[in-house]
Amino acid sequence: MSEEVLINVGLGETRVAVVENGRPVDIVLERTNEEDVKAKTGRAGHSLLGNIFLGRVQRVLPGMQAAFVDIGLDRAGFLGVREARCLCYLPSYDAENLPPINTCVHEGQSILVQVVKDPIGEKGARLSANVTIPGRLLVLVPNQSGIALSRRIENEEERERLTALVGGIAGKLQAMGVTGEPAGFIVRTAALAATEAEIIEDAKRITDEWKTVRELEKQSNPPSVVFHDLDTVSRTLRDYVSLETARVLIDDAASYGEAKRYCERAMPEVLDRIELFNGPDHLFSLYGIEEEIEKALEPRVELPSGGWITIETTEALTAIDVNSGKYTAATGLEETSARINLEAVEAIIHQLRLRGTGGLIVIDFIHMGEPGNVEKVLAALHSGFERDRVPTQISGMSEFGLVEMTRKRTREPLDKLMTESTCAKGRPRMKTAATMGNEVIRRIIREAAGAPGRPVEVYLAPDVADWMEGGEGHLMERLRAKVSGKVDLIREPRFDRERAEIGIVT
């Protein structure tokens, strides 16, 4: 299998595409509006995932077995008892017998918490008191002993080897006083190809970061950030790039330089695979990524035989309906159903990964009477998600052809990031002003590249122009510097939000 990672760094957002065999399978979008980045608020798509806060417990709700913690955002973060139990000092509890939440935290208490799920919709960030410090090869788990391994390390001999190796390293570091307190490690998949010296170096690096967090905790008042995870580009390299990755293309010179420096420091084995993309076209035109993103915002996905699937997401769950359309196999209804369902499985796997869909998912397959066909469909579903980085659980098929599955929700899906509900007839959702603003910025840069220094006039909807000129105009200042010329935004009230016209003044 061929894998590539494409990183498009724009003025208003950074986009990452993971491509397998020439087809994008994962899209990560992080808005980088300057005001949002400074505030670390999580608005407009800026991810807080992995950041550690010194928070203050606002409310403890025994009935919910949870607490709300002020971490400086618009909404308090949610801390469930399962994620707070490491703070409990009761003599015994386990996963089936969790302690009461009020034995873990109390109102007004200052605690370290880590964001494990970004704010989604009207919900605040999901928090955990069991903080971790991620490295390239290992993840440090402070205040806990023991070694755990990634679920993707399946070979039993390798699991035993790595457990013994990392266990020995952890013991040496603690004996040397490097960790300073009991600590456990999670072994990441990348450790499979690493030497003992590289693993030791990674362990030292993340334990040093943990010591810095502890020092900042002593010096800070809640709510405050005491640990920022890596920037988008470096985090992509750490979490998505492996020895299976053939190349990493980055279309921004400054980000390319930072990526090279990060690789020299943390993952030199892939240094020669980092490339600066200079065209001739724009980066996401490769492999039709822009078109794939547009399709991922639509509920209907066509199947090769003429059928289709419809994907609808609500607050509670995502429902997927499989339709055969006009296709009929010559051998009969059962063969028709089996073929359409197998095509649907491939589309479902691709779309859920591409869209970043998480939570409860219910798939309504076309009814099949033969148990063998049911097994084929379920086997294809299980097999297809084996390469998914996000944990999934899949149930059997009910007598009504329904399959329930869950996919861990760690960030907002593409449709929530890029679109919003609308009352317009026939259009349940439309692109947000931020989405259109970033699209317009990319178009301006491409148009201006053909006529450097020439003034650019942009006719667009007023709310899109407002977004582009917001934040004291920093974004427009950077855009004008980028294109080396004048850019005029002309508000056109008659324009639909998704319409913009760009012209070069001669």
Side-chain angles (χ1 to χ4, degrees):
M1 186 201 70
S2 172
E3 181 180 275
E4 297 173 83
V5 177
L6 281 54
I7 305 176
N8 165 231
V9 182
L11 297 181
E13 65 185 3
T14 297
R15 302 183 298 170
V16 177
V18 179
V19 179
E20 293 178 359
N21 297 325
R23 190 181 192 191
V25 295
D26 204 347
I27 302 291
V28 178
L29 184 155
E30 185 164 325
R31 298 269 158 78
T32 50
N33 188 322
E34 186 171 319
E35 296 303 307
D36 294 330
V37 173
K38 284 180 180 177
K40 296 292 178 183
T41 60
R43 297 190 191 98
H46 181 74
S47 178
L48 298 171
L49 204 63
N51 287 2
I52 299 175
F53 292 79
L54 178 62
R56 188 180 299 282
V57 180
Q58 277 187 340
R59 287 183 294 160
V60 178
L61 304 173
M64 291 180 61
Q65 278 287 71
F68 287 95
V69 182
D70 178 16
I71 57 173
L73 307 184
D74 291 342
R75 300 184 186 87
F78 181 86
L79 179 67
V81 67
R82 193 175 298 277
E83 291 76 30
R85 59 182 173 175
C86 59
L87 302 175
C88 178
Y89 298 102
L90 292 179
S92 65
Y93 61 86
D94 53 42
E96 300 300 323
N97 185 28
L98 295 170
I101 186 65
N102 52 17
T103 64
C104 303
V105 294
H106 58 81
E107 292 182 5
Q109 179 182 357
S110 298
I111 58 172
L112 281 181
V113 288
Q114 188 166 35
V115 175
V116 293
K117 289 184 182 179
D118 274 320
I120 296 177
E122 298 300 313
K123 298 179 181 178
R126 186 72 180 256
L127 307 174
S128 175
N130 188 31
V131 300
T132 61
I133 305 291
R136 166 67 178 157
L137 307 175
L138 304 172
V139 178
L140 177 70
V141 188
N143 301 316
Q144 289 193 26
S145 300
I147 307 299
L149 286 88
S150 164
R151 65 187 178 91
R152 298 179 71 186
I153 302 176
E154 298 177 344
N155 184 280
E156 197 57 42
E157 289 184 7
E158 282 297 307
R159 292 182 68 88
E160 291 177 4
R161 180 184 71 85
L162 288 169
T163 299
L165 174 61
V166 177
I169 291 171
K172 289 176 184 177
L173 291 176
Q174 191 168 347
M176 293 163 56
V178 175
T179 55
E181 54 188 287
F185 290 95
I186 300 171
V187 183
R188 307 188 77 171
T189 312
L192 279 169
T195 65
E196 182 175 357
E198 290 170 335
I199 295 175
I200 291 173
E201 182 61 32
D202 198 54
K204 287 182 178 178
R205 186 183 302 114
I206 56 182
T207 51
D208 284 344
E209 288 180 348
W210 173 240
K211 285 183 178 180
T212 302
V213 170
R214 281 300 204 193
E215 288 301 317
L216 285 172
E217 179 188 9
K218 295 174 185 176
Q219 300 167 14
S220 304
N221 295 315
S224 58
V225 187
V226 293
F227 174 79
H228 288 146
D229 203 357
L230 297 172
D231 63 88
T232 307
V233 173
S234 298
R235 190 168 66 246
T236 297
L237 296 174
R238 184 191 69 196
D239 295 341
Y240 287 91
V241 176
S242 68
L243 291 177
E244 294 181 357
T245 305
R247 63 176 179 171
V248 179
L249 295 177
I250 305 173
D251 63 1
D252 176 74
S255 298
Y256 167 75
E258 185 57 44
K260 297 283 278 190
R261 287 188 288 274
Y262 174 76
C263 285
E264 288 171 352
R265 186 171 70 250
M267 43 193 303
E269 69 277 7
V270 299
L271 188 59
D272 61 347
R273 305 179 196 190
I274 311 298
E275 301 177 20
L276 178 62
F277 179 80
N278 285 314
D281 210 341
H282 60 98
L283 180 59
F284 270 30
S285 66
L286 296 178
Y287 309 116
I289 294 172
E290 298 285 10
E291 292 79 2
E292 288 279 3
I293 292 174
E294 290 296 323
K295 290 177 183 177
L297 300 179
E298 297 295 330
R300 178 162 161 159
V301 179
E302 303 296 332
L303 300 177
S305 62
W308 68 88
I309 61 172
T310 304
I311 304 174
E312 299 283 357
T313 298
T314 67
E315 276 299 310
L317 55 82
T318 295
I320 302 177
D321 186 38
V322 181
N323 297 276
S324 62
K326 296 181 179 180
Y327 173 75
T328 303
T331 50
L333 182 60
E334 180 71 18
E335 184 62 28
T336 297
S337 300
R339 177 171 174 177
I340 292 291
N341 284 338
L342 287 170
E343 287 184 357
V345 165
E346 184 177 345
I348 288 166
I349 294 163
H350 180 245
Q351 289 297 321
L352 292 183
R353 292 182 64 187
L354 190 69
R355 297 172 186 230
T357 304
L360 177 62
I361 300 159
V362 179
I363 308 169
D364 183 8
F365 285 105
I366 301 171
H367 177 74
M368 296 176 294
E370 295 183 11
N373 287 330
V374 172
E375 290 301 316
K376 284 181 184 178
V377 169
L378 291 174
L381 199 59
H382 281 278
S383 175
F385 280 107
E386 285 179 356
R387 291 195 56 80
D388 191 5
R389 289 175 171 84
V390 180
T392 59
Q393 290 184 310
I394 304 171
S395 74
M397 185 179 292
S398 76
E399 61 179 304
F400 304 110
L402 301 178
V403 172
E404 296 179 7
M405 62 174 288
T406 60
R407 189 170 185 269
K408 188 175 180 181
R409 185 183 305 175
T410 56
R411 57 185 171 87
E412 284 200 281
L414 281 184
D415 66 332
K416 289 288 184 70
L417 283 172
M418 298 182 67
T419 68
E420 62 187 6
S421 298
T422 174
C423 297
K425 186 177 181 181
R427 297 191 63 186
R429 302 188 70 84
M430 70 162 51
K431 292 178 180 178
T432 65
T435 297
M436 278 306 302
N438 280 296
E439 286 187 15
V440 169
I441 288 169
R442 286 191 288 270
R443 288 175 56 190
I444 291 171
I445 292 171
R446 289 198 292 271
E447 292 284 342
R454 289 281 188 85
V456 180
E457 289 184 346
V458 186
Y459 293 83
L460 71 175
D463 59 345
V464 179
D466 291 343
W467 181 87
M468 293 175 66
E469 292 180 335
E472 301 179 7
H474 295 302
L475 194 57
M476 289 303 298
E477 287 178 12
R478 292 163 60 203
L479 175 61
R480 291 182 178 110
K482 177 86 172 176
V483 302
S484 303
K486 186 179 180 183
V487 178
D488 285 332
L489 302 185
I490 302 169
R491 290 164 171 77
E492 180 50 77
R494 297 172 300 169
F495 275 20
D496 177 273
R497 181 190 289 169
E498 297 185 6
R499 178 182 173 187
E501 295 180 3
I502 300 170
I504 304 296
V505 180
T506 57

